């Protein structure tokens, strides 16, 4: 009987101990759930920073703790400095009041013939030298590319990424086209050329002289009401030309397109350089384009071009491509002449 009592007492003691252990464990788990907070998930930036910290040793510096200085002195100054006195012997105040002449209205029913033409102006040709005239006036630089950049950067006209004027470009996108690349140059000690004092980060300024070509889009329309051929310029695009190390031209790419009718009021405010007489016969840039006082060659046309390809895309030889461009010009000219009988 006593053995039975001892067995029951031991069983009860073991059960009580097991209950106390389980209760303590449950209390600890409940306390952790109530007192603890879930750690926040790492943001992508923190995850990338942790990855960089794991990939690079602590205190890593690719320049060996040498100071880095940014030099912006090479960036061109675009500030327009106006003359504080009359810089001419005669009054030219009427120049700023010029406005372009209104185009004659062309009806779609009267357009008996219409063809779009793309042409390029090589500014290195003698007739196109006024496009590269380097001078400053009260309205800024007189180089044609600088006029375009000023009009675009100030919001006077809209820059487009295509020749259909369907995709406007933002100012950050334009700034990337008109800035040079960054370059890090070490500056050494005068007394010890092997010792690097600091690294200087420079950025080359945009060189307007690097734009040596301009592309134009125009449409030739024969109006049967007035019985004459009209040529309307639709768009202008500066081309950035790249060269091989030997100086040979590699190719050209369009920087941006500008809708020419939007640009006409601005072009009337700028005068074209005249090497013969700086006083009289100073036409405006709008008059130059309307009078077609420039040299160019055709690079593409919608005439007999079902594949919509450029001339150089079909004819690789540059001389034969120029001859084909002249053939397109003759076809447009002969269409008007063939309508008349003499």
């Amino acid at each position: 009987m006593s053995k039975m009592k001892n067995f029951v007492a031991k069983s009860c003691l073991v059960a009580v101990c097991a209950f106390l252990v389980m209760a303590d464990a449950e209390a600890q788990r409940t306390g952790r759930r109530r007192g603890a907070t879930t750690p926040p998930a790492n943001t992508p930036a923190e995850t990338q920073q942790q990855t960089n910290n794991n990939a690079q040793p602590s205190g890593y510096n690719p320049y060996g703790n040498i100071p880095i200085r940014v030099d912006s002195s090479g960036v061109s100054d675009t500030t327009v400095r106006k003359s504080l006195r009359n810089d001419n012997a005669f009054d030219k105040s009427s120049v700023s009041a010029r406005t372009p002449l209104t185009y004659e209205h062309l009806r779609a029913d009267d357009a008996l013939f219409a063809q779009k033409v793309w042409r390029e102006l090589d500014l290195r040709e003698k007739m196109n030298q006024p496009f590269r005239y380097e001078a400053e006036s009260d309205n800024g630089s007189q180089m044609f590319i600088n006029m375009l950049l000023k009009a675009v950067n100030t919001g006077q006209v809209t820059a487009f990424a295509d020749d259909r004027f369907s995709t406007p470009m933002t100012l950050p996108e334009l700034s990337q086209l008109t800035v040079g690349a960054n370059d890090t140059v070490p500056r050494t000690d005068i007394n010890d050329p092997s010792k690097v004092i600091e690294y200087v980060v420079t950025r080359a300024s945009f060189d307007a002289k690097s734009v040596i070509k301009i592309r134009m889009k125009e449409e030739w329309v024969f109006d049967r009401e007035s019985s004459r051929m009209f040529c309307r310029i639709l768009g202008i695009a500066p081309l950035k030309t790249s060269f091989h190390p030997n100086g040979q031209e590699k190719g050209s790419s369009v920087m941006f397109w500008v809708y020419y009718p939007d640009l006409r009021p601005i072009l009337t405010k700028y005068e074209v350089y005249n090497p013969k007489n700086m006083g009289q016969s100073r036409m405006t840039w709008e008059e130059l384009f309307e009078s077609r006082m420039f040299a160019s060659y055709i690079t593409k046309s919608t005439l007999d071009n079902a594949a919509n390809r450029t001339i150089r895309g079909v004819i690789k030889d540059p001389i034969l491509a120029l001859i084909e461009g002249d053939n397109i010009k003759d076809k447009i000219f002969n269409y008007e002449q063939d309508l008349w009988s003499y």
Side-chain angles (χ1 to χ4, degrees):
M1 188 66 180
S2 59
K3 291 182 178 179
M4 181 61 68
K5 291 180 178 179
N6 292 335
F7 175 76
V8 173
K10 290 181 180 180
S11 299
C12 292
L13 182 61
V14 172
V16 171
C17 292
F19 176 77
L20 293 176
V21 171
M22 293 175 62
D24 183 62
E26 182 66 20
Q28 292 179 2
R29 286 196 298 269
T30 303
R32 284 197 299 268
R33 285 198 300 268
R34 292 178 178 177
T37 57
T38 304
N42 291 337
T43 61
E46 293 174 349
T47 304
Q48 183 65 29
Q49 183 64 30
Q50 292 178 0
T51 303
N52 296 338
N53 293 338
N54 295 333
Q56 299 174 354
S58 177
Y60 173 77
N61 189 337
Y63 297 102
N65 295 324
I66 298 177
I68 302 175
R69 178 171 58 88
V70 178
D71 183 14
S72 59
S73 59
V75 180
S76 59
D77 185 9
T78 58
T79 304
V80 178
R81 298 177 177 84
K82 295 185 178 182
S83 176
L84 301 179
R85 299 292 186 273
N86 185 13
D87 194 33
N88 302 281
F90 47 90
D91 185 17
K92 295 184 63 176
S93 59
S94 60
V95 174
S96 59
R98 293 174 177 172
T99 56
L101 296 177
T102 305
Y103 277 150
E104 182 179 346
H105 179 66
L106 301 179
R107 297 173 61 248
D109 295 338
D110 295 331
L112 186 62
F113 173 87
Q115 293 293 338
K116 287 186 173 63
V117 174
W118 287 259
R119 62 176 68 242
E120 289 186 3
L121 288 69
D122 194 331
L123 306 186
R124 294 169 294 186
E125 296 188 23
K126 185 176 181 179
M127 191 172 182
N128 296 331
Q129 287 302 305
F131 285 85
R132 309 184 74 183
Y133 175 57
E134 300 179 38
E136 294 288 335
S137 184
D138 287 349
N139 52 4
S141 175
Q142 300 301 295
M143 291 188 68
F144 184 76
I145 178 60
N146 288 334
M147 300 178 197
L148 284 181
L149 291 176
K150 179 184 176 182
V152 170
N153 292 329
T154 56
Q156 294 176 286
V157 295
T158 303
F160 296 90
D162 59 335
D163 58 0
R164 291 183 56 250
F165 316 105
S166 62
T167 308
M169 299 179 65
T170 61
L171 288 180
E173 292 175 345
L174 291 171
S175 63
Q176 293 298 322
L177 299 174
T178 57
V179 296
N182 287 334
D183 188 15
T184 303
V185 180
R187 191 168 72 89
T188 59
D189 191 355
I190 300 178
N191 300 324
D192 186 5
S194 61
K195 181 181 179 181
V196 179
I197 301 177
E198 63 178 357
Y199 287 95
V200 181
V201 180
T202 59
R203 166 167 286 184
S205 60
F206 175 72
D207 186 9
K209 298 179 183 178
S210 62
V211 178
I212 59 175
K213 290 184 179 180
I214 293 177
R215 184 170 296 172
M216 289 175 47
K217 178 184 177 182
E218 59 191 19
E219 187 167 16
W220 291 80
V221 181
F222 183 82
D223 182 31
R224 60 182 176 183
E225 182 183 6
S226 59
S227 299
R228 56 168 294 195
M229 185 79 76
F230 289 89
C231 178
R232 297 289 172 82
I233 301 175
L234 300 178
I236 296 178
L239 303 181
K240 182 179 291 186
T241 305
S242 58
F243 296 90
H244 291 286
N246 59 358
Q248 185 179 2
E249 184 176 329
K250 183 188 301 182
S252 302
S253 60
V254 175
M255 297 177 61
F256 55 86
W257 280 92
V258 174
Y259 189 54
Y260 176 73
D262 294 342
L263 189 65
R264 290 182 68 210
I266 300 174
L267 295 180
T268 57
K269 304 299 188 296
Y270 292 88
E271 292 183 333
V272 181
Y273 170 70
N274 186 352
K276 303 299 182 182
N277 189 345
M278 293 293 291
Q280 297 295 325
S281 301
R282 291 295 303 275
M283 68 171 61
T284 64
W285 279 100
E286 191 266 343
E287 294 172 345
L288 179 140
F289 282 108
E290 296 300 329
S291 302
R292 309 192 66 80
M293 300 288 292
F294 53 80
S296 63
Y297 52 91
I298 296 177
T299 59
K300 180 183 174 183
S301 172
T302 55
L303 186 65
D304 298 331
N305 188 12
N308 194 27
R309 293 188 294 179
T310 61
I311 296 178
R312 290 298 300 271
V314 180
I315 304 174
K316 302 300 180 182
D317 187 86
I319 303 299
L320 296 179
L322 290 176
I323 295 176
E324 178 61 24
D326 289 339
N327 291 335
I328 295 175
K329 181 174 64 175
D330 292 339
K331 289 179 181 179
I332 296 175
F333 176 79
N334 292 332
Y335 178 85
E336 181 183 12
Q337 301 301 315
D338 294 341
L339 294 176
W340 304 94
S341 59
Y342 301 94

